[in-house]
C-alpha cells in the first residue's frame, strides 16, 4: 500500500529529525508509559518520544544489574541505557517516568543515578475522590519542573495548543486503526503494529498526522472494495494485555502465520493510547487544564489500577466494534499485574462475551516460538469451530 509505505518511510527518519531539532535548540523529553502527559512536555517546548524497551538484544546487559526473572520490558529498557543503544534515549534531555509497577519504579531508582529524570508517583486507584487530587498535583509539579529545566513558561495558550495537537494525533491514529473493522481487514496485524509503534517517535507531529489520515483514507477505500490479504472467514483476533512493539512481536507474527487476522490492539500502544480526549476549550485556566489532563491520564485502564473496571467495559466495546472471534491475552514473564488479572479477564471473555480466550505468558526470546505456535493453532481451531 502506497500510503503505508510512505508513512513508514517518513518514520524511518525520525531519529534524524530529533537530532536536527536538538541542533535547533529544541529539548527532547523521553517517556516510559502512557501515564506520562505528552501535552505538558509539548507546552514546555519539548519533543516527547517513547522509550520503552521492546528488543531482546539489550536484555543481557541489564541482567548484570537487574534480576533475570524481571519483566523483559523493564530489562530491555534498562539495557538500552547501559548499552547506549537507543537514539531516542541518548537524545533525551530529561526523562519522565511514572511508577506503574514495582519493577519499573525500582528500576527507575537505578536509572535516576545515571540520567536526569522526573518520576511521577502514580496512584493506583481511579476513584476521582481518592487518586485524582494527588495525580493533579503530580502534573502541577511536572509543569513547574519542566519550566525550570527548560527555562520557559508553560502558558495557558501553549497548553491548549498542545492538547489540541495531541487530540488531533489520537483522532488520526484511531482512524487508521479503525480501518481493521472492515470484514475482511485491509491491513495485516504486523503492518498495524508497525504503524502504531513508530507513531510514538514523531518529532514532526503535524506532518505525521497528515500522513496517518492519508493512510487511513487509502485503507478505508480498500476496505469498502473488499481488498484484503484475508478472506471473509479468516478468524478475527483481538489482542489484549501487555505493551507490544517491534522486536517483541513474535506472537503477532505467529497469529498471522497460523492463519488469523489481528484486527485490534487493546494495548498501551493501541486503543489505550487513543481512546480518551481532553477538551481544550472548557477549562477556565492553566490549573484547570492540568486537572483535566490528570483526569484523562488517570482513566487509562492499565492492570496496575485496582480495581480496573474500565478494562472490562473497553474490552466488551472493542470486541463488538471489531467483530472479534476470539481474544488473545498476552503477558510478559514477570508482569504480575497482567498475569493475575488474566484469571478474571478469562472468566469475563468466556462467560460474558461468549468468546474463545487464550492467555500466553512469554518473553522476548525466540526459544518458545514453536510451543507458542502449537497453542495458537489449537486456539484458532476452537475459534473456527465457534464461527
Amino acid at each position: 500500500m502506497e500510503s503505508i509505505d510512505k508513512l513508514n518511510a517518513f518514520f524511518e527518519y525520525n531519529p534524524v529529525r530529533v537530532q536536527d531539532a536538538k541542533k535547533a535548540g529544541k529539548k527532547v523529553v523521553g517517556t516510559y508509559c502512557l501515564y506520562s502527559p505528552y501535552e505538558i512536555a509539548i507546552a514546555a517546548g519539548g519533543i516527547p518520544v517513547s522509550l520503552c524497551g521492546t528488543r531482546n538484544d539489550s536484555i543481557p546487559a541489564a541482567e548484570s544489574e537487574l534480576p533475570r526473572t524481571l519483566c523483559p520490558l523493564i530489562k530491555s529498557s534498562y539495557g538500552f541505557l547501559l548499552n547506549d543503544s537507543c537514539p531516542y534515549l541518548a537524545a533525551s534531555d530529561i526523562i519522565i517516568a511514572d511508577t506503574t509497577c514495582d519493577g519499573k519504579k525500582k528500576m527507575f531508582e537505578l536509572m535516576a543515578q545515571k540520567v536526569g529524570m522526573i518520576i511521577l508517583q502514580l496512584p493506583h486507584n481511579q476513584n476521582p475522590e481518592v487518586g485524582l487530587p494527588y495525580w493533579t498535583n503530580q502534573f502541577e509539579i511536572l509543569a513547574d519542573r519542566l519550566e525550570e529545566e527548560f527555562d520557559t513558561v508553560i502558558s495557558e495558550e501553549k497548553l491548549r495548543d498542545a492538547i489540541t495537537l495531541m487530540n488531533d494525533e489520537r483522532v488520526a491514529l484511531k482512524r487508521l486503526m479503525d480501518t481493521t473493522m472492515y470484514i475482511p481487514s485491509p491491513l495485516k496485524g504486523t503492518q498495524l503494529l508497525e504503524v502504531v509503534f513508530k507513531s510514538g517517535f514523531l518529532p514532526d507531529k503535524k506532518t505525521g498526522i497528515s500522513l496517518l489520515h492519508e493512510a487511513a483514507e487509502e485503507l478505508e477505500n480498500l476496505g469498502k472494495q473488499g481488498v484484503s490479504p484475508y478472506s471473509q472467514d479468516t478468524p478475527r483476533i483481538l489482542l489484549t494485555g501487555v505493551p507490544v512493539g517491534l522486536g517483541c512481536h513474535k506472537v503477532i507474527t505467529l497469529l498471522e502465520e497460523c492463519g488469523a487476522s489481528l484486527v485490534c490492539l487493546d494495548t498501551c500502544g493501541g486503543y489505550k493510547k487513543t481512546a480518551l480526549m481532553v477538551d481544550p476549550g472548557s477549562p477556565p485556566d492553566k490549573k484547570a487544564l492540568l486537572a483535566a489532563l490528570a483526569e484523562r491520564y488517570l482513566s487509562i485502564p492499565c492492570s496496575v489500577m485496582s480495581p480496573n473496571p474500565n478494562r472490562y467495559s473497553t474490552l466488551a466495546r472493542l470486541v463488538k466494534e471489531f467483530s472479534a472471534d476470539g481474544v488473545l491475552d498476552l503477558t510478559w514473564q514477570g508482569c504480575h499485574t497482567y498475569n493475575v488479572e488474566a484469571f478474571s479477564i478469562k472468566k469475563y471473555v468466556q462467560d460474558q462475551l461468549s468468546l474463545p480466550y487464550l492467555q500466553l505468558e512469554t518473553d522476548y526470546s525466540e526459544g518458545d516460538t514453536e510451543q507458542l505456535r502449537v497453542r495458537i493453532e489449537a486456539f484458532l481451531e476452537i475459534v473456527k469451530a465457534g464461527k
Side-chain angles (χ1 to χ4, degrees), residues 18 89 118 139 148 165 209 374 380:
V18 168
L89 178 55
I118 304 173
F139 277 30
E148 179 183 348
L165 180 64
I209 289 167
V374 171
L380 293 178

Side-chain angles (χ1 to χ4, degrees), residues 32-317:
Y32 275 105
C33 186
L34 279 189
Y35 289 104
S36 296
Y38 272 32
E39 292 88 345
I40 298 177
I42 293 170
I47 298 173
V49 292
S50 176
L51 299 179
C52 265
T54 61
R55 297 185 62 86
N56 193 58
D57 54 13
S58 64
I59 289 178
E63 290 179 341
S64 67
E65 298 184 22
L66 298 176
R68 293 177 61 86
T69 55
L70 197 60
C71 162
L73 184 149
I74 300 173
K75 292 189 292 185
S76 180
S77 300
Y78 193 64
F80 275 132
L81 174 65
L82 296 182
N83 287 338
D84 191 21
S85 54
C86 172
Y88 301 104
L89 178 55
S92 295
D93 294 284
I94 199 160
I95 295 169
I96 303 174
D98 33 68
T99 56
T100 46
C101 69
D102 289 344
K104 267 191 175 181
K105 71 183 182 184
K106 299 307 289 186
M107 182 270 283
F108 290 148
E109 291 179 11
L110 298 180
M111 185 172 282
Q113 298 173 19
K114 298 176 172 65
V115 292
M117 299 185 72
I118 304 173
I119 298 180
L120 304 179
Q121 300 294 331
L122 175 70
H124 292 163
N125 188 298
Q126 294 173 322
N127 185 321
E129 297 178 0
V130 176
L132 186 56
Y134 182 85
W135 191 228
T136 300
N137 179 249
Q138 290 289 292
F139 277 30
E140 292 170 351
I141 292 172
L142 172 63
D144 291 344
R145 176 75 183 278
L146 287 177
E147 286 181 330
E148 179 183 348
E149 291 283 343
F150 296 168
D151 190 22
T152 188
V153 174
I154 298 176
S155 66
E156 178 183 331
E157 181 182 4
K158 289 178 181 177
L159 202 51
R160 290 187 192 279
D161 289 345
I163 289 171
T164 299
L165 180 64
M166 287 307 303
N167 281 347
D168 289 346
E169 182 179 85
R170 292 182 186 113
V171 167
L173 188 58
K174 183 178 184 299
R175 180 186 177 190
L176 188 145
M177 290 192 294
D178 282 350
T179 61
T180 57
M181 290 183 185
Y182 287 100
I183 303 176
S185 167
L187 190 64
K188 287 186 174 182
T190 47
Q191 293 173 309
L192 175 65
L193 175 67
E194 183 175 10
V195 170
V196 169
F197 178 74
K198 289 182 177 179
S199 69
F201 307 96
L202 276 175
D204 181 358
K205 288 192 174 298
K206 290 186 177 180
T207 303
I209 289 167
S210 177
L211 291 173
L212 285 168
H213 278 298
E214 184 180 326
E217 183 175 0
E218 181 184 6
L219 289 166
E220 287 165 354
N221 290 332
L222 292 174
K224 292 172 184 176
Q225 298 168 26
V227 178
S228 170
Y230 305 108
S231 70
Q232 292 277 342
D233 297 326
T234 300
R236 298 171 59 83
I237 304 302
L238 179 148
L239 181 73
T240 188
V242 293
V244 185
L246 294 181
C248 61
H249 56 286
K250 64 181 178 183
V251 168
I252 294 176
T253 301
L254 284 171
L255 271 173
E256 292 187 348
E257 290 177 354
C258 293
S261 170
L262 175 66
V263 294
C264 181
L265 290 168
D266 176 32
T267 57
C268 295
Y271 275 86
K272 285 185 177 68
K273 186 176 182 179
T274 64
L276 304 167
M277 302 290 175
V278 178
D279 184 353
S282 58
D285 52 33
K286 175 182 172 180
K287 188 176 181 67
L289 285 169
L290 290 173
L293 281 170
E295 182 178 9
R296 185 262 172 199
Y297 278 88
L298 190 62
S299 299
I300 295 170
C302 177
S303 66
V304 298
M305 292 297 167
S306 180
N308 187 25
N310 291 339
R311 186 179 178 196
Y312 300 84
S313 58
T314 299
L315 195 55
R317 175 177 58 81

